Amino acid sequence: MFRYITRMRFLTRLATAWLLAASLPLFAASPQFHPAKLAEIPASLAPFVESNLISGAVTLVATRDKLVAVEAIGYSDLGAKRRMKTDDLFWIASMTKPMTAVAVLMLQDEGKLSVDDPVEKFLPEFKNQWLTSERSVTGLGLIKPARPIRIRDLLTHTSG
């Protein structure tokens, strides 16, 4: 049980750090990247490192054309007190889920899809899905769903 709680705390901290890092482009909303504003990005993570919520982080701000800033803060190895480097590797655990969600939302911003689109629009194999209404030793009861599964359902893990 202790290992499970420790792992969940670690994953929660990792998710918090990733989500914070994913929101960092909001610091530089205009095409003009002011050095003082860019310096605020790693500084804003310092309290998380100091309170041991995360051991360290790498931040990156880029445009479509160039890398604007990349900084490292904290430690990649707490025991050895090894400082974080910008090219350190990270175990990302289940972080592919929010990364996928960000990619889907970017596609929505570009008008290529909507989270309210049915999944079957892009994956025809999802047409004519059935739901289990009851399960017994002798069989399965199936019903037609009230509506098709939407992309939003997949992103929120509520597809059934």
Side-chain angles (χ1 to χ4, degrees):
M1 181 68 171
F2 178 75
R3 285 175 47 187
Y4 174 76
I5 292 170
T6 302
R7 180 177 163 86
M8 290 310 297
R9 284 184 185 147
F10 170 76
L11 292 175
T12 301
R13 289 175 180 176
L14 188 63
T16 302
W18 191 90
L19 290 173
L20 180 62
S23 66
L24 290 176
L26 300 175
F27 280 92
S30 73
Q32 301 293 328
F33 296 99
H34 301 287
K37 280 292 192 189
L38 291 173
E40 288 178 25
I41 297 171
S44 69
L45 292 174
F48 295 98
V49 173
E50 291 162 6
S51 67
N52 294 319
L53 184 63
I54 61 172
S55 60
V58 175
T59 63
L60 182 139
V61 177
T63 67
R64 291 185 189 267
D65 305 322
K66 67 178 182 172
L67 179 63
V68 177
V70 61
E71 298 286 335
I73 186 168
Y75 299 93
S76 60
D77 184 338
L78 287 172
K81 293 290 185 194
R82 188 171 89 71
R83 301 290 303 171
M84 183 71 70
K85 296 183 301 187
T86 58
D87 63 349
D88 278 339
L89 298 178
F90 293 85
W91 175 55
I92 62 169
S94 293
M95 297 315 298
T96 54
K97 293 176 185 107
M99 288 176 179
T100 301
V102 167
V104 167
L105 293 174
M106 288 171 68
L107 290 170
Q108 178 173 269
D109 286 347
E110 294 171 6
K112 295 180 178 174
L113 60 77
S114 167
V115 294
D116 292 316
D117 284 340
V119 175
E120 64 193 40
K121 179 177 178 180
F122 304 97
L123 298 170
E125 298 81 6
F126 275 75
K127 282 186 180 180
N128 302 317
Q129 293 287 309
W130 288 84
L131 295 174
T132 303
S133 62
E134 60 185 68
R135 189 183 308 246
S136 71
V137 177
T138 59
L140 220 53
L142 299 175
I143 58 170
K144 193 79 171 145
R147 62 172 177 75
I149 298 170
R150 299 172 301 168
I151 294 172
R152 175 185 308 275
D153 300 323
L154 298 179
L155 292 174
T156 58
H157 299 269
T158 57
S159 62

